[in-house]
Amino acid sequence: MTPIRIAVVDVGGTVASDDDNKQRMTTIDEIARLAGVSPATVSKVLNNRPYVSDLTRARIERVIAETGFVPSQRARGLSQRRSYILGLLIPYTSDELFADPHLLEIMRGIEAETNCHEYNLLLSTSRAALDAVSACLRMLRSDVIDGAIMVETLDILPYTDALSTQAAPWVMIGYPRQGDVRAVHADDYGGALLATRHLINLGHRHIAVITSTPRPFALEERLRGVRDALATSGLPLDERLLLTGDFSIESGERAGAQLLALPEPPSAVFALNDRMALGVIRSALAHGKRVPEDLSVVGFDDIALASLLNPALTTVRQPGFAMGQAAARGFFALLDGQPFAVPTVIPTELIVRGTSGKA
Amino acid sequence: MTPIRIAVVDVGGTVASDDDNKQRMTTIDEIARLAGVSPATVSKVLNNRPYVSDLTRARIERVIAETGFVPSQRARGLSQRRSYILGLLIPYTSDELFADPHLLEIMRGIEAETNCHEYNLLLSTSRAALDAVSACLRMLRSDVIDGAIMVETLDILPYTDALSTQAAPWVMIGYPRQGDVRAVHADDYGGALLATRHLINLGHRHIAVITSTPRPFALEERLRGVRDALATSGLPLDERLLLTGDFSIESGERAGAQLLALPEPPSAVFALNDRMALGVIRSALAHGKRVPEDLSVVGFDDIALASLLNPALTTVRQPGFAMGQAAARGFFALLDGQPFAVPTVIPTELIVRGTSGKA
DNA sequence: TATCGCTCGGAAAGCGCTTGCTTAATGTTG
DNA sequence: CAACATTAAGCAAGCGCTTTCCGAGCGATA
């Protein structure tokens, strides 16, 4: 039964070879024919349903194995209303995503959990933040995915409503700023509290903070932690020592340079993410300052790089993997109609290394 | 026609609410009804086909906009035989993938290109390498994806045949060790040649090399480059200075320690990837050696971290982004029935920084 | 006026699976 | 032995789109 290759030459000049008719070689009907049963029975075998005799089942399974038949997910999805695909919505450009080790850790956690559930991960990034969310909405509506996990953005609020009207389950990684949104986030407040106290305990009184603008809610929480820790020690945050960056190393470098140029430079800097902390260290070194002797630096995230530097970075560990995993677990629970019973606040932890020292 | 919400309480105690019937709210038939036309006409509008009057088209478009209707990709895929999903097969565990900046760069390149083509990226990692490939085969057969890009592994050979029998296009990132496999890879040989010559020119005569085992073909090529460069200078590779790691920083550290314990330690080390090079540097520092004064170190890949260290790493830049992008471009060309006309060998480049110095 | 070529719109047959319902053949009970 | 339950298998109607084909309408051409 070797297929004969025929190249049909059209008058117009286009050539239609059998490359074009990408039809499935085997369908469930073909299997049914080969096994001498009806497609319905084959379907029962494929889905491990009862009411098929052992004999028939064995025969069908043999045919399936021999032909290497795999049922079409498209067709199956159409009648089962499931695609077995989980959408991962990252409302950043791919550049931003891949430059952010913390996001990648979250993604790793989700991917690991997805692997355990016979689900596939569809990655969706975007150019503009809003585009991504509406793209996700389109995906949900268009049945491409069975649900989504999305990373919180500043501009997500107008969309959470729309998302919530969808029947498909979805989970946010971030803060539930609204009603019944399922969300998982780190204990940003607690982490910042610990880090700030750490610096205070080391005798620092001039503590600079580098945040970002506009601030995602997580950074808002970290800043609140800083303020509370300082206030408890009677040290209000000096607003001149509150600078903003954009999460990148370069922005940390700029902020560092700015701080060192101050008439009364701080003795410690708490950068609200690790990459900016690295930038601060670079600028300090460039200005001939020693870390931590002349300047203590603390970061937030604990990216892999933090422990590789010399001296290694003191930072607040934010377990991205666990966050991603928890979000994915929650998602699958919702998908199975079960309650969203996962830890929604993931603890953070202060990791004291080499970049923080006595004032 | 408001649906009436009925909660049916089963004797068994389970509650079936209308949460369960996740049916689409809007279908093409609904739109057709609202616009007073047939579904066929709506389909023409959705697919931007001719033979619909401007008036009718406008009316249908208005209804679509008002209802926020998005056609079901499942159904569309079934009849169009397209899923608009590209499978990315990474035959590594997610741990390995996310620990490898070079792989992530490749992924970024693919993702960037995918975004330009209205395609979605389905990520597929695995536990065992072979599993991944057969999983990919299943995906192709099951119509989940329209084709795939996969990263070469050692064990891929037995599968390339199977993949090639599939009608769906696929592209490999790695070396085409066989017939008509479409592949994209870096100029590993040339890069290694340059790096080795660089060390020789600096006066090094005792050059150690850290490879991995088992060796992917790319590393085979790099090693060949090293051998040729050394041979040209009449310096055969001292096999005692050829160590193996597993790509990780830790393995580089172990290899470094081993080299430094040698009676005649090398004056330079060429690690065939950056992470192992970083490990060598760490172990050198731990042994009280200075880099590059006491030991020159050169890596391969040019991961982001390489330029951040102090001193920054001398390395061979392997443009992962460009490789991923080229592979994806080739893939889309094949998908459109066009020839695979992309550069298949991506040039590498020696980046001289601070970790290599005079012998 | 008869013929042609074109546009516009719809009927209906898929795409490849699942599933509710039906029927026939068993086994089980009083 | 009649009445019933249970198993085994199949028919056929979907799932929500696309697409081929067909016919109606209409102006242009002969």
Side-chain angles (χ1 to χ4, degrees), chain A residues 22-24 68 70-75 77-78 81-83 85 94-95 98 104 107-108 111-112 115-116 120-123 125-127 138-139 141-146 167 169 249 282 285 305 307-310 321 335, chain B residues 22-24 68 70-75 77-78 81-83 85 94-95 98 104 107-108 111-112 115-116 120-123 125-127 138-139 141-146 167 169 249 282 285 305 307-310 321 335:
Chain A
K22 289 180 190 167
Q23 60 193 2
R24 289 181 60 79
V70 179
S72 159
Q73 281 297 342
R74 280 177 203 154
L78 188 56
R81 291 136 186 256
R82 269 219 182 186
S83 60
I85 297 178
S94 31
D95 289 7
F98 287 98
L104 289 172
M107 194 166 153
R108 187 169 70 90
E111 147 69 16
N115 267 342
C116 307
N120 293 114
L121 238 205
L122 193 71
L123 179 61
T125 63
S126 70
R127 278 158 218 128
R138 275 188 76 82
M139 283 184 131
R141 280 211 223 286
S142 72
D143 298 337
V144 173
I145 56 181
D146 290 343
I249 294 186
R282 287 183 79 176
L285 296 177
L305 181 47
S307 61
L308 295 176
L309 293 177
N310 195 357
F321 185 87
L335 201 64
Chain B
K22 290 179 190 168
Q23 60 192 4
R24 289 180 61 79
V70 179
S72 160
Q73 281 298 342
R74 280 177 202 154
L78 188 56
R81 289 139 187 259
R82 270 220 181 185
S83 59
I85 298 178
S94 31
D95 289 6
F98 287 98
L104 289 172
M107 194 164 152
R108 186 168 71 90
E111 147 69 16
N115 267 343
C116 306
N120 293 113
L121 236 204
L122 193 71
L123 178 62
T125 63
S126 69
R127 279 159 217 126
R138 275 189 75 82
M139 284 183 127
R141 279 211 223 286
S142 71
D143 298 337
V144 173
I145 55 181
D146 290 343
I249 294 185
R282 287 183 80 177
L285 296 178
L305 181 47
S307 62
L308 295 176
L309 292 178
N310 195 357
F321 184 87
L335 200 64

Side-chain angles (χ1 to χ4, degrees), chain B residues 247-269:
Chain B
F247 290 105
S248 72
I249 294 185
E250 292 72 25
S251 72
E253 225 168 335
R254 282 193 295 273
Q258 222 172 312
L259 286 170
L260 294 172
L262 246 42
E264 265 185 295
S267 68
V269 179

Side-chain angles (χ1 to χ4, degrees), chain A residues 31-334:
Chain A
I31 301 297
R33 204 179 52 72
L34 290 174
V37 294
S38 79
T41 308
V42 177
S43 175
K44 283 178 191 163
V45 171
L46 285 173
N47 294 286
N48 227 349
R49 289 222 151 62
Y51 303 132
V52 180
S53 71
D54 290 351
L55 205 70
T56 311
R57 188 178 294 269
R59 187 153 35 95
I60 294 174
E61 276 168 350
R62 200 167 48 76
V63 174
I64 291 176
E66 277 169 2
T67 53
F69 169 72
V70 179
S72 159
Q73 281 297 342
R74 280 177 203 154
R76 174 177 280 201
L78 188 56
S79 53
Q80 285 193 157
R81 291 136 186 256
R82 269 219 182 186
S83 60
Y84 298 94
I85 297 178
L86 160 60
L88 174 54
L89 170 70
I90 313 249
Y92 298 100
T93 64
S94 31
D95 289 7
E96 288 166 337
L97 163 60
F98 287 98
D100 188 336
H102 177 60
L103 278 180
L104 289 172
E105 271 296 286
I106 291 176
M107 194 166 153
R108 187 169 70 90
I110 294 172
E111 147 69 16
E113 191 64 19
T114 308
N115 267 342
C116 307
H117 285 265
E118 310 239 352
Y119 253 71
N120 293 114
L121 238 205
L122 193 71
L123 179 61
S124 169
T125 63
S126 70
R127 278 158 218 128
L130 291 189
D131 274 351
V133 183
S134 63
C136 176
L137 212 60
R138 275 188 76 82
M139 283 184 131
L140 282 175
R141 280 211 223 286
S142 72
D143 298 337
V144 173
I145 56 181
D146 290 343
I149 294 182
M150 74 172 70
V151 174
E152 181 192 357
T153 27
L154 282 171
D155 316 292
I156 216 174
L157 282 176
Y159 284 86
T160 48
D161 274 343
L163 280 164
S164 297
T165 64
Q166 297 301 118
W170 69 280
V171 174
M172 193 169 79
I173 296 197
Y175 287 77
R177 316 269 290 281
Q178 183 174 343
D180 58 346
V181 171
R182 316 295 191 173
V184 169
H185 62 85
D187 181 14
D188 294 281
Y189 174 79
L193 210 60
L194 288 176
T196 312
R197 279 192 196 144
H198 168 65
L199 289 173
I200 295 172
N201 289 341
L202 285 171
H204 294 281
R205 292 297 172 265
H206 266 67
I207 302 176
V209 175
I210 305 180
T211 177
S212 87
T213 175
R215 273 198 287 280
F217 201 73
L219 286 216
E220 212 74 76
E221 284 292 292
R222 291 178 203 170
L223 204 52
R224 192 165 66 83
V226 172
R227 287 210 153 92
D228 283 8
L230 288 173
T232 321
S233 304
L235 293 168
L237 177 56
D238 182 347
E239 298 293 333
R240 287 165 305 176
L241 295 183
L242 178 60
L243 301 191
T244 62
D246 61 4
F247 290 107
S248 71
I249 294 186
E250 291 73 24
S251 71
E253 226 169 331
R254 283 193 295 272
Q258 222 172 311
L259 286 170
L260 294 172
L262 245 43
E264 266 185 294
S267 66
V269 180
F270 181 18
L272 296 188
N273 84 331
D274 279 354
R275 285 184 292 153
M276 295 195 293
L278 299 183
V280 172
I281 294 174
R282 287 183 79 176
S283 77
L285 296 177
H287 283 73
K289 304 282 182 186
R290 291 162 305 159
V291 174
E293 290 81 357
D294 303 325
L295 186 70
S296 283
V297 180
V298 175
F300 202 111
D301 280 349
D302 193 27
I303 63 180
L305 181 47
S307 61
L308 295 176
L309 293 177
N310 195 357
L313 183 67
T314 294
T315 188
V316 178
R317 172 175 299 159
Q318 183 185 197
F321 185 87
M323 291 166 68
Q325 201 174 34
R329 288 214 178 117
F331 170 82
F332 286 114
L334 291 176

